[in-house]
Amino acid sequence: MSGEPEIARLKACGVVPVVVIDEAEVAVPLARALLAGGIDVIEVTLRRPAALAALERIAREVPEILSVAGTVVTPLQVAEVKRVGAQAVVSPGFSEAVDEAMRAAGLPWLPGVATASDCMRAVSAGRVTCKFFPAEQAGGTPVLKALSGPFPQLKFCPTGGVSLANLADYLALPQVICVGGSWLVPADAVAKRDWARVTQLAREARDAVKAIRG
Ligand code: 3PG
C-alpha cells in the first residue's frame, strides 16, 4: 500500500490538528504557527469553499508541513485535493467509490470507521490505517480496544472529542498511531489571527505526546 512515509510522519507527530479555514489567506500563517509549536502536520477539512485554496497555499509556501485533506467524501474531491498538492487524505467514513478514487490518486488514505462492519469493509479493501470517528461519541477507548480483537491488523487515528484531557488514553494503545482534533486551532484564535495561541496549543500537545511516548 502506498503512503508509508506520510503515515510514518503522522505517527511521529502524534497529533493531527483538524482545521476549518474560512479565508485562504490564514492558511500559511496558521501552518507556520503549528510548525513553531512543533506540529508538522495539518488537516484542512473540505467543509468550507476556501479549503482547496488553503491546501494549495500550504503545499506551495509551507512544504515543511505535511498537508492532509480532510472530510473528503466524493471521488471528485479526491481529484481536487490531489490537484492542489495534498499529501494524504482523511475521510469521516468508508466508501468503495472513494477507495477506488484514492487508489487511482496514489495518495495515502485514512477512511473513517466506527463499527465492525466499517472495519470489515476497510480490511476487504486492503486498508490498514483508519480514522476512528467519531471517537468519543462512538464509545472511546473501550470500543477501539474491542474492535482490535477481530481486526488486529488495523491501526487508528482517533478523532472526534479528543483533546489534551484524553489524548493520553488513546496514545497509550498500541493500535493508535496518532490522534486528531480541532482543539489545537480554535475558531476564535483564527478569527483574531492569534498565532501565538495556536503555537502555544501546538506546543502543549507536542509536549503531551512526548511525555507519553518518551
Ligand atoms: C473531525 O472532523 O475529525 C472532527 O470534527 C474533529 O472533531 P473535534 O472537533 O471533536 O476535535
Side-chain angles (χ1 to χ4, degrees):
M1 184 78 39
S2 65
E4 290 311 319
E6 291 83 3
I7 300 296
R9 279 191 66 183
L10 294 176
K11 188 171 179 180
C13 188
V15 174
V16 181
V18 176
V19 310
V20 174
I21 293 183
D22 286 305
E23 299 158 276
E25 58 265 30
V26 303
V28 167
L30 170 54
R32 291 198 176 124
L34 289 167
L35 278 174
I39 298 288
D40 67 351
V41 171
I42 183 169
E43 178 187 328
V44 179
T45 57
L46 264 57
R47 296 179 198 181
R48 297 285 195 274
L52 288 176
L55 282 165
E56 191 161 34
R57 286 182 191 217
I58 293 167
R60 194 177 52 225
E61 294 180 47
V62 199
E64 325 74 291
I65 203 161
L66 184 80
S67 70
V68 179
T71 323
V72 171
V73 297
T74 69
L76 176 61
Q77 288 175 325
V78 172
E80 287 174 334
V81 301
K82 177 156 172 137
R83 178 176 54 78
V84 297
Q87 295 164 283
V89 172
V90 177
S91 298
F94 183 95
S95 87
E96 276 73 20
V98 173
D99 178 61
E100 202 177 302
M102 286 307 309
R103 253 172 243 287
L107 294 175
W109 181 44
L110 279 70
V113 298
T115 67
S117 293
D118 297 338
C119 292
M120 281 178 65
R121 293 170 78 198
V123 166
S124 297
R127 299 291 172 183
V128 174
T129 311
C130 297
K131 167 173 172 160
F132 175 49
F133 177 79
E136 281 293 289
Q137 298 86 340
T141 54
V143 168
L144 197 47
K145 283 189 213 163
L147 288 172
S148 290
F151 305 106
Q153 67 273 61
L154 289 183
K155 302 287 180 208
F156 299 95
C157 173
T159 308
V162 179
S163 69
L164 212 50
N166 59 7
L167 112 184
D169 300 338
Y170 286 101
L171 287 175
L173 303 179
Q175 65 271 48
V176 170
I177 63 158
C178 59
V179 298
S182 60
W183 88 92
L184 290 116
V185 182
D188 65 313
V190 177
K192 287 188 223 148
R193 314 299 199 243
D194 188 352
W195 307 131
R197 183 156 166 235
V198 172
T199 296
Q200 178 59 28
L201 288 164
R203 194 170 287 130
E204 278 172 18
R206 188 75 188 120
D207 289 350
V209 173
K210 274 196 196 145
I212 297 151
R213 291 181 169 170

